[in-house]
Amino acid sequence: MSQNETTKKEATKKKSKFVDFIQRRAVQKWIIVITFLIIPIALLVAFTYLPLFDMVGYSFLKWNGTSKEKTFIGFSNYIEVFTRPEYLKVFKTSIYYFIGSLVQIVLALFFATILNQKIKGKNIFKGIIFFPSLLNGVAVGLIFLFFYKGGGTLDSVLGLLGIPQEVLPLWLGDVALVNISLVFVSLWRYMGQNMVMFNGAIQSVSTELMEAASLDGANAWQQFRYIILPNIKTIVSLNLILAVKGAISVYEIPMIMTNGANGSSTFVMKTLDTAFTSRKIGLASAMGVVLLIFIMIVTFIQKRFVERKDGAHE
């Protein structure tokens, strides 16, 4: 047998083995998975991780964002973030939004539980509660600007209830009320989204289990506490994590309605102002990194707390 024939047979044999390998079900499954994941992963890397790495790099520089001159200054930007009061006091605003987020989750869970009962027209009520989450943030901000302005919708309603107009405060002009007013806007806008998530989770709870508990004499509160809540704890934990993230990274509503006036500025607004108004890209990048690390730490603590609580129950 010639050398060429031997080479051809070996090549044919290798090709046959390769074809057999490709035709295996497990291999085909992985090929399909990888093929569908290539584009999302590429987009994730290009628009999330690469900008993140660039931001971390910029945080160690003194740079105005346009000049070619970039000076490495080490941790000076981070030291400035933690030593200058104006960069930290805006975190106080996040406390208002965090408390509002907790109220939002409680109300969403309440409405989701109620609307999972046999109530006439419950789908209409679900639609009404969910509708605000479909609105654009700019539209919501403009709507509530008219709602809160002097002599606007809120003042008119309170006037109909017999409250004199002259004693009514400036809802967006009073330092003590502005953040509470803005938190109400966020609560109104996002509660429906939380409600839909809770509603889907509650519907997955076994109806047979609920009926058995009812026959055993469990009231509505006991059914919620011992059956519904333990079965939707994953969704509750997810919403709590999103609440923390949302409270720290609030931007749209205060930017549109007050532009950060009267103590309503948030950390994200201060970061963007530092970057694009003060032209301190390095310092703004450091603020972004601090915000990211803070969110990660809070999320980790919250996740560990939920897991430990679940382990204690088991």
Side-chain angles (χ1 to χ4, degrees):
M1 184 180 294
S2 65
Q3 186 176 358
N4 289 335
E5 290 179 350
T6 304
T7 305
K8 286 181 180 180
K9 284 186 177 181
E10 289 178 354
T12 303
K13 188 175 181 181
K14 289 180 180 178
K15 184 178 179 180
S16 178
K17 287 182 178 179
F18 179 75
V19 171
D20 291 340
F21 177 76
I22 293 296
Q23 288 179 344
R24 292 179 184 176
R25 187 176 183 84
V27 174
Q28 290 180 344
K29 179 181 176 181
W30 276 106
I31 291 174
I32 293 171
V33 170
I34 292 171
T35 302
F36 277 98
L37 285 178
I38 286 175
I39 294 178
I41 290 176
L43 293 174
L44 184 66
V45 170
F47 295 104
T48 301
Y49 292 109
L50 290 180
L52 174 62
F53 294 143
D54 285 340
M55 183 177 71
V56 174
Y58 293 150
S59 69
F60 296 102
L61 304 176
K62 183 179 181 181
W63 183 43
N64 64 7
T66 55
S67 68
K68 294 182 179 179
E69 184 181 351
K70 300 177 183 178
T71 307
F72 180 80
I73 57 175
F75 289 93
S76 297
N77 287 325
Y78 291 96
I79 294 172
E80 187 171 356
V81 170
F82 287 105
T83 54
R84 293 184 61 177
E86 60 266 30
Y87 292 117
L88 289 176
K89 69 179 181 180
V90 289
F91 267 118
K92 292 193 303 182
T93 309
S94 300
I95 298 174
Y96 289 93
Y97 289 95
F98 179 67
I99 295 172
S101 297
L102 296 180
V103 174
Q104 172 184 304
I105 289 173
V106 171
L107 289 176
L109 190 53
F110 172 77
F111 284 117
T113 305
I114 294 297
L115 293 176
N116 263 285
Q117 308 299 319
K118 295 180 180 179
I119 301 174
K120 288 184 179 180
K122 63 180 181 180
N123 290 330
I124 296 175
F125 287 107
K126 288 179 184 179
I128 292 172
I129 297 173
F130 181 69
F131 176 73
S133 64
L134 300 177
L135 297 177
N136 181 270
V138 177
V140 172
L142 293 175
I143 290 170
F144 277 89
L145 272 177
F146 286 100
F147 181 79
Y148 283 127
K149 77 173 186 177
T153 307
L154 181 57
D155 287 357
S156 299
V157 172
L158 294 176
L160 292 174
L161 296 175
I163 301 176
Q165 294 287 318
E166 53 270 15
V167 302
L168 293 175
L170 294 173
W171 303 103
L172 299 179
D174 191 330
V175 176
L177 292 174
V178 60
N179 286 314
I180 297 174
S181 301
L182 295 175
V183 166
F184 176 81
V185 179
S186 293
L187 190 152
W188 178 82
R189 184 184 179 193
Y190 293 110
M191 185 180 67
Q193 184 176 336
N194 291 125
M195 185 204 68
V196 169
M197 295 177 68
F198 286 135
N199 185 71
I202 291 173
Q203 287 181 351
S204 66
V205 178
S206 173
T207 54
E208 295 179 357
L209 190 61
M210 297 290 291
E211 290 173 358
S214 180
L215 291 173
D216 288 340
N219 57 34
W221 167 248
Q222 290 171 331
Q223 291 178 28
F224 172 79
R225 182 180 178 183
Y226 296 108
I227 299 177
I228 294 177
L229 196 57
N231 280 281
I232 65 170
K233 60 188 177 183
T234 303
I235 301 300
V236 173
S237 176
L238 173 62
N239 277 321
L240 286 172
I241 291 171
L242 294 176
V244 173
K245 174 184 173 297
I248 298 173
S249 57
V250 173
Y251 175 73
E252 266 184 331
I253 298 299
M255 181 65 189
I256 295 165
M257 296 184 64
T258 64
N259 197 25
N262 303 315
S264 62
S265 181
T266 64
F267 192 79
V268 174
M269 293 174 65
K270 188 67 176 177
T271 302
L272 293 176
D273 181 70
T274 302
F276 300 109
T277 303
S278 302
R279 311 293 297 175
K280 298 179 179 179
I281 302 298
L283 180 58
S285 297
M287 294 173 71
V289 173
V290 169
L291 180 63
L292 174 63
I293 292 173
F294 185 77
I295 292 175
M296 291 175 65
I297 291 172
V298 172
T299 302
F300 175 77
I301 293 172
Q302 192 175 34
K303 187 173 182 296
R304 293 289 295 177
F305 175 77
V306 173
E307 289 177 352
R308 184 176 298 178
K309 193 173 181 181
D310 292 341
H313 285 311
E314 290 175 3

